[in-house]
Amino acid sequence: MARHRPKHKKNALGVPFLLDERLSVPVVLCVVVLLIPFFELGMVNACYPDMRNIYYYIRLICISTIVLLYLVKGEKDALSVSSIALCLVMLISTCINGGSLRFAFINEWVSMAAMALLAAWAFRVNFTSFLWAVMIFSTALSAANALSIVAFPEGTYATQYTPLGDHFLYGHRNAFYQFIFLSVGVSWLLDAWKGKRFSARTGAIFLLGLIQVGAAYSATTTIALALAVVLGFLVQFMPWRRVLNGLVLVGLYFGLFAAIVIFRINEVFAPVIEDVFQRNATLTGRTAIWDAVIQRMDSEHLLLGYGASGKTVIAGSGLEFPHPHNELLTYLNCGGIAGLACFVAVLVLVGWSLFKIRNVLVSGVLCSLVSAFLVVSLTESVLHPSLMLALAIAWYASKKIRGQAGRSRTEDR
């Protein structure tokens, strides 16, 4: 007699429940612990400089653990391989240009690749527990940072370039998006996965982010969060999900990059930028930085760039900036055409995967999460593990849904 196999039930939004993935406390704790050293607390580093070395060595231990987990039971697929390829390009470029492997390469490029490998491992082990771990960790970080703003409304420390009021527990106010977007986006993703369009939990986490954005105003984060919320509302409806899919999202990103960085459409909207967002048409001097990056890409560095520690940019005014203030230019500057091609490949892979599940709400929520990071990356260098973590979540969530949908169709026959 043939053995009866229970069918995968589907929720109201057409996504199979993860009946085979009950919450695993050990997996949740493991992921939370592994994430801790990748989100350095700016206040600790500023007040206790020796902590940076401690963070570095703990991060090395966590990276080694993640690589081992990936090799033993990680999903070897296009995304994980592309992230490794990107890391190798930056390694080669850094070595050629005599850059720092200890901090710039390990803390940035290897750390970003590690997030993709961690998600690849979780995909095989228990992806639901992985999502809960990311949400719990990022929400805890968001809550702690919000408390620091309430306790020290005038700021916690100053730096050479920015005043006291710009820094709190996590660091500079422009960096808060790194956990705000993840906490809200992953909570919303878990809602959609279980048949809910929105939950009180997600609303509370979103309010927590709003408190920080409102108290320590960041124009870029505010714009990105507002657009993500609008997109998240639109994709609640099927027609909009089909139009605002992953491929359209990636295409719009490249189009905005060309319009703003290359053709300077921001100069056309100077009145809006200056009157509404209280910024000048040069986007606080970013246009000069972009020009400097493009001009320095000579024939010697066009293919592989200047390496992981070569992202410092000297603008025409003679001022020095720690990065190009644009994600695509950061990859071009550090990794040349090869590095930029690897990152573009990651974006296209994620966009295509989301396009394949464009009929379900999960795809729309993931588009909203990814779009928030991409909007910030137009005027900032999002060279942080949170970006790759968001992209990996989008890739593996869509892959999980496609796999379960395939099993569900097979069992229905």
Side-chain angles (χ1 to χ4, degrees), residues 13-14 45 56 111 129 137 175 184-185 217 237 249 254 258 342 345 376 391 393 395:
L13 302 176
N45 282 332
Y56 173 75
S111 295
S129 296
F137 173 75
V184 177
Y217 179 70
F237 308 99
L249 169 68
F254 292 139
C342 289
V376 171
L391 293 173
I393 286 172
W395 167 266

Side-chain angles (χ1 to χ4, degrees), residues 20 54 81 156 232 255 269:
D20 57 337
I54 297 176
V81 171
T156 54
F269 294 98

Side-chain angles (χ1 to χ4, degrees), residues 75 114-124 127 130 389 392-393 396:
E75 182 80 352
M115 294 298 96
L117 303 188
L118 180 62
W121 167 76
F123 175 81
R124 287 276 191 90
F127 195 68
F130 171 72
L389 189 56
I393 286 172
Y396 287 110

Side-chain angles (χ1 to χ4, degrees), residues 4 9 75 96 169 229 243-244 247:
H4 175 69
K9 297 179 181 179
E75 182 80 352
I96 290 175
L169 175 66
V229 169
V243 174
L244 299 174
L247 286 182

Side-chain angles (χ1 to χ4, degrees), residues 7-8 23 35 37 41 45 59 70 140 165 176 196 201 205 208-209 226 239 258-259 273 285 317 325 383 396 402-403:
K7 295 181 180 180
H8 285 264
L23 199 63
L35 287 176
L41 297 179
N45 282 332
R59 185 178 294 198
Y70 171 74
F176 295 172
K196 299 178 182 178
R201 180 195 65 224
I205 295 174
L208 196 61
I273 294 173
S317 59
H325 285 278
L383 196 54
Y396 287 110
R402 295 198 309 272

Side-chain angles (χ1 to χ4, degrees), residues 270-289:
V272 176
I273 294 173
E274 294 174 356
D275 296 337
V276 177
F277 298 107
Q278 302 300 308
R279 292 292 184 271
N280 56 50
T282 65
L283 302 179
T284 321
R286 282 168 173 77
T287 53
I289 303 173

Side-chain angles (χ1 to χ4, degrees), residues 12 101 113 144 188 236 255 259 311 352 366 404:
L101 290 178
W188 204 350
Q236 299 289 322
K311 64 181 184 297
W352 176 244
L366 289 169
Q404 289 194 329

